Amino acid sequence: QSYFWFSECIVVGPLCNLVFYVHISGTHMKVVDLCADGAWNLDLFRIPVPSNIHTVILGLNIPYGLNGKDTII
């Protein structure tokens, strides 16, 4: 049930700290909302995300088989 932009999923802290802003529509996105068929669906972003941040996100492990939990491992 982790919110994507505000989760402590990487060493440097929440991803919201790495972008200029998080659009209001993105504040409710959860990790599970951006995972589709075993891959990150970055097309759902409503904000410009720098390519280096895309690379960081794509390098994160997709949560599998976590009984409904959407924790990034």
Side-chain angles (χ1 to χ4, degrees):
Q1 301 298 332
S2 301
Y3 290 101
F4 182 78
W5 290 109
F6 307 102
S7 176
E8 297 277 342
C9 60
I10 57 174
V11 176
V12 297
L15 290 169
C16 65
N17 293 340
L18 303 178
V19 295
F20 296 112
Y21 67 96
V22 175
H23 190 275
I24 188 81
S25 64
T27 60
H28 300 291
M29 285 193 317
K30 296 190 176 184
V31 172
V32 72
D33 296 334
L34 293 171
C35 298
D37 299 321
W40 289 109
N41 183 2
L42 304 185
D43 294 333
L44 296 177
F45 291 157
R46 302 254 194 290
I47 60 170
V49 177
S51 61
N52 62 322
I53 304 306
H54 272 258
T55 302
V56 168
I57 295 167
L58 292 173
L60 297 172
N61 292 322
I62 301 285
Y64 288 110
L66 297 173
N67 298 323
K69 296 179 184 175
D70 56 358
T71 308
I72 296 176
I73 55 173

